[in-house]
């Protein structure tokens, strides 16, 4: 890969593959030649034939179109250090199957389509949200009416610290089948789940009393959360009616 120093010489930026080189599995290192690797440049890997990407936990910026049109890409992680994710960063990654989202508190996005048309050639993307994540930024996993993100499952961990799902965060996920929603959530912004599959199942990590309290804090136009036909199950470590538990990290009804 090609690395260039930042203008102030304090960190490195990944520019992509060097001329004539390529790789199926890409690892963005934490450090390079004694300095942190903090940015992935705009268009760095656009159109390359990579299969997986592992991004080291010093990267704060994933540039615009950084991985756009990587049609063989199946798995990515967005590390805890990430603050900024550019427009179309993962657009048209049609083979995408797994996203590991670890960014603790990334900046809100002003546009949708960061993941436009991702996963369209698969049976669906599983989106894993790490326990340390504190918020899901505005519009991050949203798409415009002209595109689609084939996210079918959203799974927060059992020890999630996420308190906020910002407005439009998951807007227009029309293929969503279920979401594991943590009891740590304190607010869900307007349109956060607007346009999602209204029959998606909710596996809530708290009890019914906690759920009822949360509903009073949900902004309007979140049909997955507020629609009465939606199936909702509550977490229990022991057998209980209308409840679920984890098996191998996935929700399973008792």
């Amino acid at each position: 890969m090609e690395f260039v120093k930042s203008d102030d010489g304090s960190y490195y930026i990944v520019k992509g593959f060097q001329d004539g080189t390529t790789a199926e599995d890409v690892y963005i290192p934490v450090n390079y030649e004694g300095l942190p690797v903090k940015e992935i440049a705009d268009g760095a890997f656009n159109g390359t034939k990579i299969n997986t990407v592992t991004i080291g936990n010093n990267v704060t910026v994933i540039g615009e179109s950084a991985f756009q049109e990587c049609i063989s890409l199946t798995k990515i992680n967005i590390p805890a250090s990430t603050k900024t994710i550019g427009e179309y960063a993962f657009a048209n990654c049609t083979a995408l199957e797994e996203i590991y989202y670890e960014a603790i508190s990334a900046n809100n996005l002003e546009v949708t389509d960061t993941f436009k048309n991702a996963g369209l050639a698969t049976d669906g993307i599983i989106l894993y949200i790490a326990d340390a994540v504190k918020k899901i930024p505005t519009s991050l996993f949203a798409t415009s009416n002209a595109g689609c993100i084939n996210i079918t499952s959203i799974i927060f961990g059992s020890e999630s610290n996420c308190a906020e799902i910002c407005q439009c965060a998951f807007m227009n996920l029309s293929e969503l089948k279920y979401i594991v929603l943590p009891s740590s959530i304190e607010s869900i912004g307007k349109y956060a789940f607007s346009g999602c599959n209204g029959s998606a199942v909710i596996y809530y990590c708290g009890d019914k009393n906690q759920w009822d309290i949360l509903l009073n804090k949900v902004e309007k136009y979140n049909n997955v959360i507020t629609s009465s036909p939606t199936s909702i199950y509550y977490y229990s470590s022991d057998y209980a009616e209308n409840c679920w538990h984890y098996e191998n990290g996935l929700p399973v009804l008792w």
Side-chain angles (χ1 to χ4, degrees):
M1 286 186 290
E2 180 183 359
F3 298 84
V4 297
K5 279 187 178 179
S6 61
D7 291 341
D8 64 5
S10 65
Y11 64 89
Y12 275 101
I13 303 166
V14 179
K15 298 290 287 185
F17 291 122
Q18 292 180 323
D19 291 342
T21 64
T22 188
E24 291 185 351
D25 301 305
V26 171
Y27 172 65
I28 309 295
V30 174
N31 298 300
Y32 179 74
E33 294 187 348
L35 292 175
V37 177
K38 288 192 172 184
E39 294 186 23
I40 301 173
D42 292 351
F45 297 95
N46 191 331
T48 57
K49 296 181 180 180
I50 56 179
N51 291 336
T52 65
V53 174
T54 304
I55 302 175
N57 193 28
N58 264 333
V59 169
T60 59
V61 176
I62 300 174
E64 293 183 9
S65 302
F67 297 95
Q68 186 175 0
E69 304 286 349
C70 291
I71 60 173
S72 299
L73 183 60
T74 60
K75 182 169 65 175
I76 61 168
N77 76 298
I78 298 173
S81 55
T82 306
K83 289 294 185 182
T84 302
I85 304 172
E87 187 176 11
Y88 300 116
F90 299 96
N92 297 324
C93 294
T94 53
L96 200 58
E97 296 176 337
E98 297 177 7
I99 300 171
Y100 294 85
Y101 184 78
E102 303 160 352
I104 293 174
S105 187
N107 298 328
N108 290 331
L109 280 69
E110 296 182 0
V111 295
T112 58
D113 295 335
T114 300
F115 288 88
K116 181 178 180 180
N117 296 329
L120 291 189
T122 72
D123 291 333
I125 298 170
I126 300 177
L127 170 60
Y128 297 96
I129 311 292
D131 286 345
V133 173
K134 294 181 179 179
K135 75 165 188 176
I136 306 299
T138 297
S139 300
L140 178 57
F141 297 104
T143 185
S144 66
N145 292 328
C148 177
I149 306 174
N150 193 23
I151 291 176
T152 54
S153 308
I154 302 170
I155 301 176
F156 287 81
S158 59
E159 302 295 327
S160 176
N161 289 295
C162 189
E164 181 181 12
I165 298 176
C166 296
Q167 64 181 15
C168 303
F170 298 109
M171 186 173 67
N172 292 332
L173 298 185
S174 59
E175 301 301 316
L176 185 64
K177 295 179 180 177
Y178 72 82
I179 175 171
V180 177
L181 196 67
S183 57
S184 57
I185 294 293
E186 297 176 357
S187 67
I188 299 176
K190 187 179 292 186
Y191 301 109
F193 290 93
S194 176
C196 291
N197 177 6
S199 61
V201 174
I202 296 174
Y203 297 97
Y204 184 57
C205 294
D207 58 31
K208 188 178 186 307
N209 288 336
Q210 291 172 295
W211 177 253
D212 290 340
I213 291 171
L214 175 61
L215 283 183
N216 291 326
K217 301 177 182 178
V218 176
E219 294 281 358
K220 295 180 179 179
Y221 312 116
N222 281 297
N223 59 309
V224 172
I225 302 298
T226 58
S227 294
S228 55
T230 297
S231 296
I232 178 165
Y233 301 96
Y234 307 102
Y235 178 78
S236 176
S237 58
D238 299 312
Y239 174 81
E241 189 176 351
N242 201 42
C243 290
W244 66 278
H245 63 289
Y246 285 103
E247 285 188 10
N248 299 318
L250 298 175
V252 177
L253 293 177
W254 283 109

